[in-house]
Amino acid sequence: MPHKIGFVVVSSSGQEDGFSAKELMVHAPTVSGWRSPRFCQYPQEIVIQMVERCRIRKLQLLAHQYMISSKIEFYISESLPEYFTPYQAERFRRLGYVALSDNEKTGYKARELKSVYVNAVGQYLKLIFHKNYTNRYNLYNQVALIAINIIGDPVDFHEENLPTRDKLIDQYLGNSSEDPAIDTTYTGKPDAISPLDDLAFDMYQDPEVAQIIRKLDEKKQEAVHHEHYDYAKKLKQAIADLQKVGERLGRYEVEKRCAVEKEDYDLAKQKKQQMEEYRQKVYQQLELHDLLDIALIRRAPEQSLDPLEHSTSPQPPPQQIKATASPPPDKERSTEKKTKRERQMVPEKLPKVTSPKPVPQHRSPSPPPAPTPAAFVPSINVDALPYDERPLPAQRKQKEDAFTYLEPEVNEDFVGDTPRSRITGEPEPLTEKALREAGFAIEIFGEALVAGAYSKTWSYREDALLAVYKKLSDVPTTTTKDDLKNMLRAAIFLIRRAIKDKVSSVFQASLRLLKMIITHYIPKHKLGKGETAHCVEKTFPDLLSRTGDTANRYRVMASNFIQEMALFKEVKPLQIIPVQLVQPLKGTLPSRLALSQVELVENLVKEMGTDTSGFTIDNVMKFALGALDYTTAEVRDRGVRIILYLYQQNRAQVLEHMPTDEATIRKNILYKTLFDGFSKIDGRPTESELKAQKKAAAEEAERKKKEEIRALQEQLAALKEMQSEVQAGKGKDQIPKAKADDRGKKPLMSPNNEALDDQSSVTNYLDK
């Protein structure tokens, strides 16, 4: 199996003071790497010697963020050339080159890790660096290399026939189909490469922890070989835990180095103490589970933490060891101190180390009686996957439950108390997408718990939330603020996912957990209003979306919880929920969701008022007027009710947002209803009432007029009757006299004619 190959730097064409090429022999988060001299001549070259003759499978280069070479060429050789012989160039064979990015897109803040797959045999490797990319940060036109990693297999001289010098020349001139450097005799399929040998692993891991991880990985492989699978599973879990530990310690070391460069020695001291405390806590956990003594087995006192010395490759012959440069004295001193510290931490465990290679029976102890989170870790055989489908080390390190080892305060038998222990089977393993999405939660709670939260079985999802509930409830007050905040954010991530769950019990469990965090967890640990605001801001949009669910019970549960949460004494002063609720309704918003939002505003305005609650007359009026334009009648009616309620509280401000009361405005039935409601609240008659009063007055006037007409008609009838009687009594006396007068005088008008004139005038009056 290909593995990391140790090497030493034989020579370099030049270097800047403090950035020697010897730095390339060390892989750690704080290494500075090699830099070329300022304003140097190009090309620059570095020659390295591998500890043994090998077949190189993979080369990895970590470039500088702005001192970037435009091209790097690779040459390989079987032996070290004599630099002053005229044919020295014939000793090295060119493998090819890689071009690096100019890094302009990243703003010169990221380092490029370039991996090259080759199949070449040799012991000496030469790197030629061509001219640098020009940028504003590289003031002296330098190139730099942070780290180089070689992965391959050892090859002895008797395993293959080396090509002659003539064949090499022919191959170089293109006259032969054979390639002496890129060996074509190897026809087998490339073996898998361990993630622990990847350059990214060493560059992000604390060197001491990285060495322990490699020792544990060796033990795991031996346990699998001897079919001690329980013990292998335990080791696998410990390796995943230590990978997280190593990354954190690596970050602390970088922060400490930065503090020293800034001469902030108080911060540097604090980081150092933080590293020691965290390292001791982790080692105590490993010791508790009988793993630390195993990690120290076969650790020779004189061994260094240098990746060259701790390479998994077989030890080179004595003559090759002599050619290997010894680590610097400061490295040896640091190694001595680290080894001494580990011995002081576990004095009772060291007597168990009786031989450099323990028998397999001691590597597979019987399973512990109490269940641990390892019992629920999904098993994924990464080595069985094709190489291209294997997760990166940064993702693979998160695939185990690390909570028990990383948190000594948590009781080991905790998982046995959870409902999950009563369920047979395990949740299905997380997919690659889930691993990327839930990486932070896995780091905090472990993969087993997060796998339950992502499971397709609702009972696992519910149990995962209950487990988080219990973890947060039992966290001691002595826990650091950073850890408390990290646990809070990881829990909020799982809550947001559970809020969207279609199963009622899972949804209710998420609401209970959220309530506990806001009302108990944050006040207990005095995390402050900022964390409360974070919880509300992250979960409120998901809760509000559930108020538009098709199932009525989910709508009711979500609405009730939002109203309850808005009235929490921890949440109410923040005024987050009112401000979010009064956002204008969009026309594309589903009707159920819009109706629920309007109902929430109506209920909470009545509960909280408009003084210091986040609700104001202005923002609520804008929201309500927007609701009047919504397509659903129920939403519009709720908007009218909100405006009428606000009018009762403050009439002047409400009228400022309303249009004038005109006939054209009243054609809109909603505004007509509003203005009529305003009139009722003020005690004034409404427009309809005024119309009814006018109509009643007109009807009364018409009735009175008709009565007068009827009285006049009765009087006229009586007059007519009287006239007829008078005419009937006097008619006989007037006829003879009229005949006499007709002869000599002009006839005069009689009283009857006058009466007739009076009658016609009365009739005309009545007609009018």
Side-chain angles (χ1 to χ4, degrees):
M1 178 179 178
H3 54 263
K4 182 189 290 285
I5 302 296
F7 64 88
V8 293
V9 176
V10 176
S11 66
S12 64
S13 57
Q15 61 194 25
E16 185 181 358
D17 293 340
F19 298 93
S20 170
K22 301 290 184 183
E23 287 284 329
L24 298 175
M25 298 162 54
V26 181
H27 294 168
T30 56
V31 296
S32 302
W34 166 81
R35 288 186 187 178
S36 67
R38 297 182 178 183
F39 301 111
C40 62
Q41 297 293 327
Y42 289 99
Q44 294 283 308
E45 70 174 43
I46 296 176
V47 178
I48 62 177
Q49 177 187 1
M50 290 162 278
V51 296
E52 56 193 331
R53 184 173 181 269
C54 64
R55 184 189 302 275
I56 301 177
R57 301 292 188 192
K58 184 178 182 180
L59 293 173
Q60 290 183 297
L61 302 175
L62 183 61
H64 196 268
Q65 58 266 33
Y66 57 85
M67 298 181 184
I68 307 170
S69 174
S70 59
K71 183 172 68 173
I72 301 177
E73 291 185 271
F74 299 94
Y75 291 80
I76 195 167
S77 175
E78 294 287 351
S79 61
L80 188 65
E82 298 294 337
Y83 281 94
F84 299 101
T85 61
Y87 301 105
Q88 59 90 14
E90 298 175 1
R91 299 291 185 92
F92 278 99
R93 299 299 305 143
R94 185 175 185 270
L95 297 179
Y97 73 92
V98 293
L100 300 178
S101 171
D102 59 5
N103 216 17
E104 183 178 359
K105 293 182 179 179
T106 65
Y108 308 101
K109 295 181 180 179
R111 294 173 175 175
E112 182 179 7
L113 177 61
K114 180 73 74 173
S115 297
V116 183
Y117 292 90
V118 296
N119 186 17
V121 177
Q123 191 172 359
Y124 292 88
L125 186 67
K126 180 167 68 173
L127 284 74
I128 297 181
F129 298 83
H130 291 263
K131 187 172 177 59
N132 63 289
Y133 287 112
T134 303
N135 56 69
R136 63 181 181 276
Y137 299 104
N138 194 356
L139 302 178
Y140 306 108
N141 293 332
Q142 296 170 277
V143 293
L145 185 64
I146 303 300
I148 180 173
N149 189 34
I150 303 173
I151 298 175
D153 299 308
V155 176
D156 294 334
F157 282 95
H158 65 273
E159 291 184 4
E160 60 181 354
N161 296 323
L162 295 177
T164 63
R165 179 173 176 274
D166 294 334
K167 289 184 177 181
L168 292 176
I169 296 175
D170 292 339
Q171 174 63 28
Y172 182 77
L173 297 176
N175 298 329
S176 174
S177 61
E178 299 180 359
D179 191 343
I182 303 177
D183 189 5
T184 59
T185 61
Y186 181 78
T187 58
K189 184 179 180 180
D191 295 328
I193 298 175
S194 171
L196 302 182
D197 291 332
D198 196 276
L199 182 59
F201 174 79
D202 283 318
M203 297 306 294
Y204 289 99
Q205 289 287 331
D206 176 74
E208 183 177 343
V209 176
Q211 187 56 38
I212 296 176
I213 290 174
R214 288 192 171 93
K215 293 296 182 183
L216 291 179
D217 187 67
E218 292 178 8
K219 299 301 176 184
K220 184 188 73 172
Q221 300 299 334
E222 293 178 5
V224 172
H225 178 70
H226 293 284
E227 299 185 355
H228 300 311
Y229 299 118
D230 290 337
Y231 188 49
K233 187 175 183 179
K234 190 175 183 180
L235 289 169
K236 176 185 175 183
Q237 189 178 26
I239 290 172
D241 298 341
L242 284 173
Q243 285 179 330
K244 302 180 183 72
V245 172
E247 284 196 359
R248 180 176 294 187
L249 290 174
R251 289 198 302 269
Y252 290 161
E253 182 66 30
V254 173
E255 293 171 0
K256 184 183 72 174
R257 180 73 63 88
C258 293
V260 171
E261 292 177 355
K262 296 177 182 178
E263 297 186 354
D264 188 352
Y265 300 116
D266 292 334
L267 178 59
K269 181 180 178 181
Q270 178 185 354
K271 290 298 178 181
K272 179 181 177 182
Q273 293 175 350
Q274 190 175 8
M275 289 174 63
E276 294 297 331
E277 292 174 0
Y278 185 61
R279 193 188 303 272
Q280 184 176 5
K281 179 177 69 172
V282 173
Y283 286 169
Q284 287 175 352
Q285 285 296 313
L286 291 174
E287 178 186 3
L288 180 65
H289 294 276
D290 297 329
L291 290 175
L292 187 59
D293 57 334
I294 296 174
L296 296 178
I297 289 178
R298 298 194 306 177
R299 176 190 283 263
E302 67 275 6
Q303 283 182 328
S304 161
L305 292 177
D306 195 307
L308 170 64
E309 301 295 335
H310 281 274
S311 171
T312 56
S313 60
Q315 294 297 327
Q319 62 272 19
Q320 294 182 355
I321 295 179
K322 291 181 181 179
T324 304
S326 60
D330 56 345
K331 296 290 180 180
E332 294 178 352
R333 287 196 297 271
S334 64
T335 303
E336 256 180 27
K337 292 179 181 179
K338 292 178 181 178
T339 307
K340 183 178 179 181
R341 179 176 62 246
E342 290 172 356
R343 289 177 176 176
Q344 290 175 351
M345 288 165 53
V346 285
E348 67 277 13
K349 294 294 178 181
L350 290 180
K352 295 182 180 180
V353 184
T354 58
S355 64
K357 187 173 182 181
V359 293
Q361 284 77 6
H362 293 287
R363 300 190 204 102
S364 57
S366 58
T372 62
F376 307 102
V377 178
S379 176
I380 304 176
N381 187 4
V382 180
D383 296 334
L385 296 174
Y387 179 81
D388 293 338
E389 298 180 6
R390 293 180 184 177
L392 295 174
Q395 298 172 355
R396 185 186 178 191
K397 70 181 183 57
Q398 298 173 348
K399 293 188 176 182
E400 304 295 335
D401 187 356
F403 200 86
T404 302
Y405 292 121
L406 296 180
E407 299 294 338
E409 297 84 3
V410 180
N411 193 354
E412 288 183 0
D413 57 359
F414 161 69
V415 179
D417 296 334
T418 61
R420 178 173 296 183
S421 60
R422 301 189 296 268
I423 302 174
T424 59
E426 299 178 358
E428 57 273 14
L430 293 171
T431 62
E432 289 296 329
K433 179 181 177 182
L435 287 170
R436 292 191 298 268
E437 182 182 86
F440 182 72
I442 293 174
E443 182 179 353
I444 300 300
F445 294 128
E447 185 181 358
L449 190 148
V450 178
Y454 274 77
S455 175
K456 296 179 181 178
T457 305
W458 68 267
S459 56
Y460 286 129
R461 300 198 297 270
E462 182 183 10
D463 292 343
L465 296 176
L466 297 179
V468 174
Y469 189 103
K470 184 169 178 60
K471 286 180 186 292
L472 297 184
S473 300
D474 298 340
V475 172
T477 55
T478 57
T479 309
T480 62
K481 295 290 185 182
D482 291 339
D483 292 338
L484 291 171
K485 291 180 180 179
N486 289 337
M487 295 175 67
L488 172 67
R489 281 164 168 73
I492 292 299
F493 172 80
L494 298 179
I495 289 173
R496 291 186 62 189
R497 179 177 177 82
I499 287 176
K500 304 172 186 176
D501 205 291
K502 299 298 183 181
V503 179
S504 175
S505 59
V506 180
F507 179 49
Q508 291 177 354
S510 68
L511 299 182
R512 288 193 296 268
L513 177 57
L514 179 59
K515 181 178 180 180
M516 186 276 292
I517 289 175
I518 295 175
T519 61
H520 175 73
Y521 181 81
I522 295 177
K524 175 184 175 182
H525 300 286
K526 300 178 181 179
L527 296 181
K529 295 181 179 179
E531 298 304 315
T532 304
H534 172 79
C535 296
V536 177
E537 290 173 351
K538 291 294 184 181
T539 57
F540 178 76
D542 299 319
L543 287 170
L544 187 61
S545 65
R546 290 310 300 268
T547 61
D549 202 283
T550 54
N552 182 62
R553 56 178 177 175
Y554 294 123
R555 293 202 302 271
V556 172
M557 283 191 291
S559 298
N560 292 340
F561 185 81
I562 289 176
Q563 295 182 51
E564 182 183 3
M565 182 170 64
L567 297 175
F568 288 161
K569 62 180 182 180
E570 297 83 7
V571 178
K572 187 175 180 179
L574 301 177
Q575 302 181 1
I576 296 176
I577 294 179
V579 173
Q580 293 291 334
L581 283 176
V582 294
Q583 296 299 320
L585 296 176
K586 297 181 179 179
T588 57
L589 197 67
S591 59
R592 287 188 296 269
L593 184 57
L595 180 59
S596 298
Q597 185 173 345
V598 176
E599 290 176 349
L600 285 170
V601 172
E602 181 184 4
N603 296 334
L604 288 177
V605 166
K606 294 178 180 178
E607 290 282 347
M608 304 172 66
T610 57
D611 294 332
T612 59
S613 62
F615 289 118
T616 63
I617 299 295
D618 293 336
N619 60 23
V620 179
M621 277 298 298
K622 291 179 181 178
F623 172 81
L625 291 174
L628 297 181
D629 298 330
Y630 197 76
T631 56
T632 305
E634 295 179 353
V635 176
R636 297 195 297 268
D637 294 342
R638 291 278 181 175
V640 170
R641 290 166 56 176
I642 292 174
I643 294 174
L644 293 177
Y645 176 79
L646 293 178
Y647 187 79
Q648 294 177 357
Q649 309 302 318
N650 195 320
R651 302 177 183 181
Q653 291 188 28
V654 171
L655 290 176
E656 290 178 0
H657 294 84
M658 295 293 296
T660 56
D661 187 4
E662 298 177 353
T664 56
I665 299 298
R666 284 183 173 270
K667 291 180 180 180
N668 188 327
I669 187 64
L670 295 175
Y671 285 105
K672 180 179 180 299
T673 304
L674 284 172
F675 285 118
D676 290 346
F678 295 163
S679 299
K680 289 182 180 180
I681 294 173
D682 295 337
R684 296 182 286 104
T686 64
E687 183 182 9
S688 58
E689 291 176 348
L690 289 175
K691 288 182 178 180
Q693 291 176 1
K694 290 180 180 179
K695 184 179 180 180
E699 291 177 351
E700 182 67 18
E702 187 69 20
R703 184 183 61 80
K704 289 181 179 180
K705 184 178 180 179
K706 289 181 179 180
E707 290 179 355
E708 291 177 359
I709 292 173
R710 186 169 55 254
L712 290 174
Q713 288 177 346
E714 291 177 355
Q715 293 177 6
L716 180 59
L719 288 174
K720 287 180 179 181
E721 185 178 356
M722 292 173 60
Q723 288 177 357
S724 61
E725 290 178 356
V726 171
Q727 290 176 357
K730 295 181 179 181
K732 295 179 180 182
D733 297 334
Q734 292 178 354
I735 292 174
K737 186 177 181 180
K739 290 180 179 181
D741 292 337
D742 288 339
R743 294 176 181 176
K745 293 180 181 180
K746 188 177 180 178
L748 299 174
M749 293 185 65
S750 64
N752 290 338
N753 292 334
E754 294 176 0
L756 288 174
D757 292 338
D758 293 338
Q759 183 178 355
S760 62
S761 63
V762 171
T763 303
N764 292 333
Y765 172 76
L766 294 177
D767 291 339
K768 292 179 180 180

